[in-house]
Amino acid sequence: MTTQLPALNDGQKAEIKEIVCDILELELDEVTDVSLFKEEHDADSLRTIEILSSLERTFGIALTQSELSRMVNLAGVYAVVAEAQVK
């Protein structure tokens, strides 16, 4: 038996992308679902922690810093937020 995670809706994905772009000081069209924050957008660890913190406040979820290793691009962030919402 497989358990499927609920998908984020388009509005939630857009909000996440806006948060990420705002913190990384990028335009929305500069970031794709698979572009790497650190390698392609020069994000440092402080900015990724800021993204995590902002997601917690915005979505009312609890994330651990161990999730940062998965939050390397938007696709990873979407997965982490979707999983946290079902906990």
Side-chain angles (χ1 to χ4, degrees):
M1 184 171 122
T2 60
T3 305
Q4 189 170 1
L5 290 172
L8 298 174
N9 65 42
D10 290 342
Q12 290 171 310
K13 287 183 177 181
E15 193 168 8
I16 290 169
K17 185 172 184 174
E18 200 169 301
I19 289 168
V20 168
C21 288
D22 185 50
I23 291 170
L24 298 181
E25 299 176 1
L26 298 168
E27 297 297 322
L28 290 173
D29 62 353
E30 292 181 79
V31 179
T32 67
D33 286 357
V34 295
S35 62
L36 300 172
F37 298 153
K38 182 179 179 182
E39 291 82 352
E40 296 177 50
H41 303 298
D42 297 323
D44 60 20
S45 58
L46 233 48
R47 288 186 190 241
T48 55
I49 291 171
E50 193 177 339
I51 291 169
L52 183 139
S53 172
S54 185
L55 292 170
E56 287 181 318
R57 286 191 307 275
T58 302
F59 292 97
I61 56 178
L63 301 171
T64 63
Q65 287 197 8
S66 64
E67 299 292 358
L68 291 174
S69 65
R70 297 176 51 213
M71 296 171 55
V72 296
N73 56 25
L74 280 176
V77 175
Y78 296 155
V80 166
V81 171
E83 290 170 18
Q85 287 183 326
V86 297
K87 288 183 182 177

